[in-house]
Amino acid sequence: MPELHLLCWAVLLGLAHACPEPCDCGEKYGFQIADCAYRDLEAVPPGFPANVTTLSLSANRLPSLPEGAFREVPLLQSLWLAHNEIRAVAAGALASLGHLKSLDLSHNLISDFAWSDLHNLSALQLLKMDSNELTFIPRDAFRSLRALRSLQLNHNRLHTLAEGTFAPLTALSHLQINDNPFDCTCSIMWFKTWALSTAVSIPEQDNITCMSPRVLKGTPLSRLLPLPCSAPSVQLTYQPSQDGAELRPGFVLALHCNVDGQPAPQLHWHIQTPGGTVEIASPNVAADGRSPPSAPVPGSRPRFQAFANGSLLIPDFGKLEEGTYSCLATNELGSAESSVNVALATPGEGSEDALGRRFHGKAAEGKGCYTVDNEVQPSGPEDNVVIIYLSRAGGPEAAAAGEGVSGQQSPGLLLLGQSFLLAFLTS
């Protein structure tokens, strides 16, 4: 047993002094250092002592950092990887380095970076990612870096920044972000405001310039004039009539999504039916209701016809078209959504819907129609129903008109009855 005990200690001591053959390992100023710089390495070598606190792999030919690349050195405080050929940093490559204080990835070719790994690096104080090919930074990329003091992102390919990107960096004192090809649109205006008011040192602000639009190319962000910007808003509307005809096959349901915002929002329809989910990027038809030449079946009339002005037409509404209809508007500043649930129903003599709710409506002021007021909270089941009547005579022209009754922003229920009765129920 004593011999086995001594053998174990010998093995441990041997491991403690191990060092990859191309590298130099030793102690300096109380730090355990592994120097592998300028070794023409094409991969992170194995065999480092577990107590290494500083590792230099700068000026090599590393093409990437795979998952678990630094699992052998969990006590690292400084990691230098500048001047390599790194294009991708895989998820899990850096996540184990919870003690890391300094990370230098500058002067590489990184376009694919595992931003989620930074969430584990809460001790990080210096992060150098300048002179790479980064085009995007997630909004929550730096959420755990409350100790970070210096951040270098200059000389990348960043086009925009999500609002609030730097908000978690409460200890930040130095930020370099010059020489990026920024799109000077509404989505970047928050950064201009923040940069002019923050106490963080941001050098070379005259080199934080616009690349697009062309009319603003070369303009420093700090001198950019205010832009007319607003987040999207949406409202579902309908075209009612007092037509009392019976419901017949081929009923046409027309919805209209009124959209506002600057820049002009992109409109998308999300339709959930018993047969599955349908996603439509508006428009999917021309003004005559037919598919454009680029469609899979040119000239056909789709089951759901989305027009450029925000109208959605369902030419032959039936049980298969029941479900939730949502219009989603998105621009650089955010998104907004409005939804309704649509179902066929046959109200009985007691003027109740299929859910046993009685119909009551209230007229919209000055419009001669019925609507839901978002600002009024219903006091009971009797107060949250609005009755409107839709015309049977429909088609692309009627849908394109886009005139009618305002719907509400939260999901409701449309009931199509024997008198073209649509009851809009708030949830």
Side-chain angles (χ1 to χ4, degrees), residues 281 283-286 290-300 302:
N284 70 342
V285 294
R290 295 185 179 276
S291 300
S294 59
V297 185
S300 64

Side-chain angles (χ1 to χ4, degrees), residues 40-64:
D40 207 29
L41 298 174
E42 296 184 4
V44 178
F48 289 106
N51 62 347
V52 168
T53 56
T54 299
L55 172 59
S56 176
L57 287 159
S58 297
N60 280 292
R61 298 171 57 194
L62 304 180
S64 63

